[in-house]
Amino acid sequence: MKRSLLLAGLFGTLTALAGRDHQPFGGLPVMVEKANADEAGKAGRAPSMPMARDPAVAVAEEYEAARRKGTREAFELFIARHGDDPLAEQARAQLKRLSR
């Protein structure tokens, strides 16, 4: 009988010492939730990485930059970087026009 009272008292003491700012059962510590809360007091989402760019769009933008520059070096650099891309054929055609 004394043992169960001792365990109950120990558990109550630990609960009281833990206080409100410690980890509730099954969740984050309360202070972490408060730190992540937005100005309205609601828990917000953790910051995340921005979405990766579409590679095809990046290649098309690089081709347009080479076309605007219009130099042999710009088209050669584009072909060296993206030789397998369909836009590389257009860059090769532009190089042939520049050679004339």
Side-chain angles (χ1 to χ4, degrees):
M1 186 79 166
K2 287 185 179 183
R3 186 174 187 181
S4 63
L5 290 175
L6 179 64
L7 288 176
L10 182 60
F11 181 73
T13 303
L14 289 175
T15 304
L17 289 175
R20 294 181 47 166
D21 289 339
H22 291 280
Q23 185 170 355
F25 293 112
L28 291 173
V30 174
M31 293 306 292
V32 172
E33 290 176 0
K34 288 179 183 176
N36 290 338
D38 62 9
E39 292 177 9
K42 298 178 182 174
R45 293 182 57 205
S48 61
M49 295 286 295
M51 294 291 292
R53 289 184 60 198
D54 183 5
V57 172
V59 171
E61 288 175 357
E62 191 171 337
Y63 174 76
E64 284 301 313
R67 192 184 62 74
R68 280 192 307 270
K69 196 166 187 181
T71 64
R72 182 172 193 76
E73 292 80 18
F75 288 117
E76 287 173 348
L77 180 61
F78 179 82
I79 293 168
R81 288 183 179 170
H82 309 288
D84 295 339
D85 194 84
L87 289 173
E89 291 302 318
Q90 293 181 15
R92 288 183 185 97
Q94 292 289 345
L95 273 176
K96 286 182 182 179
R97 288 187 201 121
L98 288 174
S99 298
R100 294 181 190 173

